[in-house]
Amino acid sequence: MDLSLVREYKKIWILGPVASGKTTLATELSKSMNCYHYELDNLVWIRRITGDVRRTQTQISRVLDRIYKTQSWIVEGVYREDYSVLLEKVDIILLLNTPARVRENRILKRWVKQRYGFECCNYKPTVKMLQSMYAWSRGYEDDYSAFQEILEPYKNKIQIVNLDG
């Protein structure tokens, strides 16, 4: 993907299923644009050693309000209803289209790295988490038509990014 075309936008949402490349692209773009990127999972969850605690909708809204007030930003994550207000706020939505087989390979590779301490993560890399990631990846295809309906009013903001791995 030609990043120079995206740099003209100030408020970007990188959207896609688990292991589609969202964080990698957000990191690359934030460096080239000199702006901060936010992992949406970290807006929903308060990370604690004893276990993650889910923020209330009010708390999530406050965090999002702080982000909106900055001049430029990148958010990345899967779609959740908690984030629907973002659809109005962003200049562009980069919708990552990564084949399921690529995502499944990435999930396993990432999990092994995290499990053995070669890569950091925001969660405990348990077998249950690995199974959940596979389920979320498969669920993306199952729910795609409903997802398209949600995005339909914002189709003028969407740029599909095909990533083959």
Side-chain angles (χ1 to χ4, degrees):
M1 173 180 186
D2 184 4
L3 296 179
S4 64
L5 300 176
V6 177
R7 288 188 194 116
E8 68 187 70
Y9 299 100
K10 298 292 183 192
K11 298 172 181 164
I12 300 169
W13 186 356
I14 301 173
L15 190 56
V18 63
S20 59
K22 298 178 301 291
T23 304
T24 302
L25 181 57
T27 301
E28 189 176 334
L29 275 176
S30 69
K31 286 178 185 175
S32 70
M33 295 171 61
N34 198 29
C35 70
Y36 196 76
H37 87 269
Y38 303 88
E39 293 181 44
L40 290 173
D41 280 348
N42 291 334
L43 301 183
V44 172
W45 299 101
I46 300 168
R47 306 296 185 178
R48 295 197 174 138
I49 294 171
T50 56
D52 295 347
V53 177
R54 194 178 200 293
R55 285 186 168 95
T56 65
Q57 187 57 48
T58 301
Q59 291 170 321
I60 293 169
S61 295
R62 284 186 195 137
V63 173
L64 288 172
D65 284 342
R66 284 195 301 265
I67 293 170
Y68 301 151
K69 291 177 182 173
T70 60
Q71 185 176 1
S72 63
W73 42 263
I74 298 167
V75 295
E76 59 93 352
V78 298
Y79 179 82
R80 293 177 189 234
E81 193 173 332
D82 295 329
Y83 313 142
S84 60
V85 69
L86 279 171
L87 295 169
E88 296 289 335
K89 303 284 186 181
V90 297
D91 298 326
I92 188 169
I93 300 165
L94 300 178
L95 180 57
L96 303 190
N97 182 22
T98 308
R101 64 175 168 67
V102 172
R103 295 193 318 264
E104 289 176 4
N105 288 336
R106 287 179 180 173
I107 288 169
L108 182 58
K109 185 177 177 181
R110 175 193 298 166
W111 183 83
V112 168
K113 286 180 180 179
Q114 293 168 347
R115 179 78 177 203
Y116 294 100
F118 297 111
E119 182 176 291
C120 294
C121 60
N122 294 318
Y123 48 84
K124 189 171 182 178
T126 61
V127 171
K128 184 178 178 181
M129 179 55 81
L130 176 64
Q131 291 168 335
S132 294
M133 286 190 277
Y134 279 126
W136 296 328
S137 181
R138 284 188 299 275
Y140 181 77
E141 271 79 22
D142 295 342
D143 297 336
Y144 193 71
S145 60
F147 180 58
Q148 284 182 309
E149 285 181 36
I150 291 166
L151 293 180
E152 177 64 25
Y154 308 96
K155 64 184 176 188
N156 62 325
K157 294 182 176 186
I158 297 172
Q159 173 70 47
I160 295 176
V161 180
N162 293 306
L163 298 173
D164 292 327

